[in-house]
Amino acid sequence: MQQAIAPATKTTHFDVERVRAYFPILSREVNGCPLVYLDNGATAQKPRQVIETVDRYYRDQNANIHRGVHHLSQRATSAYEAARETVAAWINAPASHQVLFNRGTTDGINLVASSWGRTNLRPGDEVIVSTMEHHSNIVPWQMICEEREAKLRVIPVSDKGELDMAAYADLLGERTRLVAVTHVSNTLGTVNPVREIIDQAHAAGARVLLDGAQALPHMRIDVQALGADFYAFSGHKLFGPTGVGILYGREELLDAMPPYQGGGDMIERVTFEKTTYNTLPHKFEAGTPNIVGGIGLAAAVDYVAALDQEALAAHEQDLLHYATGALESIPGLGIVGTAARKASVISFNIAGQHPFDVGTLLDQQGVAVRTGHHCTQPLMDRYGIPGTVRASFAFYNNRADVDALVDATRRAVDMLS
Ligand code: PMP
C-alpha cells in the first residue's frame, strides 16, 4: 500500500498548493505557457503515488495472477485482490466480490446491458434513460432493447439542465425493468437526485444502474446508502490508470446473471460437453485483467481517501462558484447547465462562435478544455447547439487556474470578434 499524503487537520481549508505538488504533470508547460488543466471530466491527472505504484509493479512484481504457484504470481494476486478490497471499502460495498474489475464505465454498462438485459428483458418491457446520458449509457441500452424488442424511454431535462422528475414519475410503470441514469452529468455538471430516482424505481419494481463516471472524482459514494443495484465508474477519471474500471452490483443480481465473456479465470471446470462457471467476481472477469491498473487504482483511492473530504468538496464548490461568476461577466458568454446542484463542471458557449475555435485559442494559451458534444449528442440536440466548451475542475485546480481560463477566454473573444 502506498504512503498517502497526510490528512489535513479538520478544517474547511483545503491546502491546494500542497496537493498540487503531488501531481508532476501540473508543473509542465504547454505552448510556452504553464499548463492549466481543465479537462478532468475526460481524464484526471495522476498523483506521484499512482505513477510510482505502476512503475514499481513492473520493476518488481510483474506476473500473471490467480494461476501461479510461484512467488511473484502470488504477490501480484495478493496485491490485485487487496486493491479490490480497497475499492470495495471506499464505495462501502457489502463484499469485495461484488466489485468487478473491468475496463471502465463503458465496459460495466455493456456488461449489465448484455448479461442482465439479455436474461431479464422481454418484448414490450421498458428501460428508462435520460436526455443527459453519455452515449455509453444510451447505446448499450438501445442495442439490447432492439434485440429483446424492449422499449427505451427518456426522462426529459429542463432548460437549466435538471431532470424532469414529474415526467420520470409518469414514465415509471409496470413495464419498467430498469432505470439507467448518470449520477453527475459530464456535460452540464448537474448532480442528479439519485436517491429519489432509486427509491421511485424500486417502488415500481424496477432495477437501477447509476453511471458514476463523473461522480466518484467529486464526491464520496456509498453504494449501500444509495441503494443502487448497479454502479459503474472509471479508474482514469478517479486519478488512477486508464483501462481499468469498476462495476458494483447487488450480489443476488450478479449471482443470477450469466457470464458476459467466456475465457480463462471465469470457469470452474471446462469439458467439451459442459462448462461450469467460477464464483463472483471471477465469473465476470474473463482473461488476464489490467492487473497494474487495478493496483494503481487502489493507490489513487488511498491517495484521495487521505484527503479531507469535506474541505475538498468545499474547495471544488468554491472553484465552481468563482469560475461561474467570472465567466458570466464575459460579454456574449452563456453557461449551458445551471442546475441548483452542480459538480465543478462548467459548459459554455460564446455567441456566434464555434466551441472548437474557442477551445483552440484557449489551448494556444496553455488552457486545456474540452470542446464538442462530450458524447452527449441527444443533449446537444435538446439545446439546439453543436457543442460546448467545457471546463471541468479537479481538487488540484486553484483560483489561479480559473483566472487563467477567464483571461484566456476574454482574449479568445477579442481575437474572434
Ligand atoms: N459516462 C460518463 C458520464 C462519462 O463522463 C464518461 C466518460 N466521458 C463515460 C460514461 C465513459 O467512460 P469511459 O470512457 O471511461 O468508459
Side-chain angles (χ1 to χ4, degrees):
M1 190 169 292
Q2 283 305 290
Q3 179 64 44
I5 126 168
T9 45
K10 211 63 186 150
T11 162
T12 50
H13 174 70
F14 187 72
D15 192 348
V16 62
E17 297 315 313
R18 181 153 163 254
V19 163
R20 287 175 72 81
Y22 283 84
F23 290 81
I25 207 168
L26 296 180
S27 51
R28 66 158 290 170
E29 293 193 342
V30 166
N31 292 328
C33 309
L35 169 66
V36 176
Y37 188 76
L38 302 177
D39 195 18
N40 297 286
T43 200
Q45 300 301 349
K46 321 303 173 198
R48 245 170 22 219
Q49 285 83 343
V50 170
I51 298 166
E52 285 165 8
T53 296
V54 171
D55 181 78
R56 194 169 43 246
Y57 177 81
Y58 281 129
R59 284 178 192 280
D60 191 45
Q61 263 183 304
N62 180 52
N64 209 335
I65 57 169
H66 292 154
R67 288 179 287 255
V69 292
H70 64 82
H71 176 77
L72 284 185
S73 177
Q74 294 198 350
R75 269 187 65 192
T77 303
S78 304
Y80 192 65
E81 291 307 326
R84 193 191 305 275
E85 299 280 346
T86 299
V87 176
W90 182 238
I91 61 169
N92 195 28
S96 65
H97 58 253
Q98 292 169 255
V99 168
L100 313 179
F101 277 121
N102 56 29
R103 288 190 301 124
T105 310
T106 306
D107 204 20
I109 297 171
N110 274 278
L111 186 158
V112 178
S114 190
S115 170
W116 184 92
R118 197 160 286 141
T119 38
N120 286 280
L121 293 176
R122 308 265 171 275
D125 283 348
E126 295 181 359
V127 172
I128 297 178
V129 296
S130 88
T131 308
M132 69 169 78
E133 298 312 310
H134 188 280
H135 295 161
S136 60
N137 201 25
I138 298 175
V139 184
W141 301 114
Q142 278 178 325
M143 288 161 65
I144 196 69
C145 282
E146 193 177 337
E147 187 185 315
R148 304 299 303 162
E149 295 174 42
K151 217 169 150 192
L152 196 67
R153 311 291 304 272
V154 184
I155 311 168
V157 298
S158 69
D159 289 347
K160 290 174 77 175
E162 290 171 338
L163 292 181
D164 181 338
M165 292 299 283
Y168 170 58
D170 288 344
L171 285 174
L172 278 171
E174 58 182 25
R175 298 315 310 254
T176 313
R177 291 287 164 270
L178 184 113
V179 178
V181 290
T182 193
H183 194 161
V184 173
S185 160
N186 63 314
T187 302
L188 307 169
T190 310
V191 180
N192 286 321
V194 287
R195 235 348 263 276
E196 219 177 309
I197 290 170
I198 291 170
D199 289 349
Q200 291 183 26
H202 285 171
R207 300 293 182 186
V208 181
L209 175 141
L210 291 184
D211 171 349
Q214 299 293 339
L216 265 288
H218 299 290
M219 60 186 75
R220 187 82 205 264
I221 300 303
D222 180 332
V223 288
Q224 291 188 71
L226 284 174
D229 298 296
F230 300 103
Y231 198 101
F233 59 97
S234 302
H236 68 100
K237 296 183 200 277
L238 187 56
F239 317 98
T242 51
V244 68
I246 298 292
L247 175 70
Y248 157 81
R250 262 185 212 278
E251 180 152 14
E252 67 274 20
L253 297 178
L254 294 176
D255 264 337
M257 284 157 55
Y260 171 45
Q261 293 181 318
D265 237 23
M266 53 72 74
I267 53 86
E268 180 188 60
R269 173 93 178 102
V270 178
T271 67
F272 283 114
E273 289 68 41
K274 181 166 175 58
T275 289
T276 52
Y277 304 127
N278 206 337
T279 50
L280 293 175
H282 311 295
K283 182 172 81 172
F284 291 108
E285 295 181 355
T288 300
N290 183 350
I291 304 165
V292 73
I295 295 169
L297 173 56
V301 167
D302 282 339
Y303 174 82
V304 174
L307 301 172
D308 178 337
Q309 301 302 306
E310 232 174 88
L312 182 156
H315 168 67
E316 286 196 8
Q317 285 297 304
D318 173 69
L319 291 177
L320 173 68
H321 293 122
Y322 181 61
T324 301
L327 286 169
E328 276 175 344
S329 72
I330 298 175
L333 187 147
I335 290 181
V336 183
T338 52
R341 259 198 92 197
K342 278 183 73 172
S344 49
V345 174
I346 304 178
S347 262
F348 64 87
N349 272 317
I350 310 280
Q353 305 301 340
H354 196 282
F356 287 149
D357 297 332
V358 180
T360 304
L361 291 174
L362 293 182
D363 176 59
Q364 285 171 9
Q365 302 172 74
V367 179
V369 292
R370 183 130 304 229
T371 56
H373 54 65
H374 317 295
C375 297
T376 55
Q377 283 180 345
L379 184 66
M380 298 297 95
D381 292 344
R382 157 69 178 84
Y383 293 122
I385 51 178
T388 73
V389 180
R390 182 189 70 185
S392 49
F393 299 87
F395 58 74
Y396 46 66
N397 288 120
N398 56 18
R399 278 186 169 222
D401 290 336
V402 175
D403 293 338
L405 166 71
V406 173
D407 290 348
T409 305
R410 279 189 192 283
R411 276 193 289 271
V413 171
D414 287 345
M415 282 186 247
L416 288 166
S417 54

